[in-house]
Amino acid sequence: MYPEYMVAPIREDLTSSGFEQLMSAEEVEQAIKTEGTVLLAVNSVCGCAASKARPALKMAVSASDKKPSKLVTVFAGMEQDAVAKAREHMLPYPPSSPSIALFKDGELVHMIERYHIEGNDLHRIVDNLKGAFEAYC
């Protein structure tokens, strides 16, 4: 686990853009199992989260006509139960952070793993998310 003072500004990068920080397994379960679409970001302290994942999330949400009903995030290396529950819902994909999952009516419909983030251009990630929003939201 990281010191909270290090993580707080990284959390705020998404929460100030409308993402709800989920802190427990129960909150994750409740968020994912709601009707509609839920965009879940597994946030991280790594460089690809800072340079690509979080900017892509914010850009895609702000630039899309169709948007997920709910925006939520968990933080890898911090709230272990919340992250573990989120990753259960992302199976069969292996754990990775950062990662981004889109759920529709409680079912995983789109997944972006770390290797899709760190090995890709920011605008391709944004386009990937916008395409998923268009298809499922």
Side-chain angles (χ1 to χ4, degrees):
M1 291 186 53
Y2 303 101
E4 183 60 35
Y5 73 86
M6 282 181 56
V7 173
I10 302 169
R11 288 186 201 274
E12 189 178 335
D13 192 16
L14 289 180
T15 59
S16 67
S17 297
F19 283 77
E20 177 187 355
Q21 179 69 53
L22 304 178
M23 304 297 277
S24 70
E26 294 79 21
E27 289 177 344
V28 170
E29 190 70 23
Q30 184 178 19
I32 289 175
K33 292 297 181 180
T34 60
E35 190 174 308
T37 50
V38 177
L39 182 63
L40 174 99
V42 178
N43 202 351
S44 172
V45 298
C46 74
C48 65
S51 65
K52 294 182 182 177
R54 291 191 303 271
L57 285 160
K58 294 184 294 185
M59 289 169 70
V61 169
S62 68
S64 296
D65 292 329
K66 291 186 174 183
K67 301 176 195 299
S69 309
K70 190 173 193 93
L71 307 171
V72 298
T73 183
V74 295
F75 205 105
M78 294 301 286
E79 294 75 34
Q80 294 174 356
D81 292 341
V83 174
K85 181 55 76 175
R87 288 180 170 158
E88 280 179 30
H89 287 283
M90 294 179 197
L91 290 171
Y93 297 95
S96 69
S97 55
S99 59
I100 303 165
L102 182 65
F103 297 88
K104 183 170 184 167
D105 299 328
E107 298 296 321
L108 180 64
V109 294
H110 190 76
M111 183 74 186
I112 300 175
E113 298 175 81
R114 179 188 175 106
Y115 79 91
H116 294 124
I117 295 167
E118 66 185 348
N120 231 330
D121 173 80
L122 173 64
H123 295 287
R124 285 190 181 166
I125 301 165
V126 172
D127 289 343
N128 181 316
L129 287 166
K130 288 169 62 176
F133 299 166
E134 191 63 34
Y136 297 108
C137 297

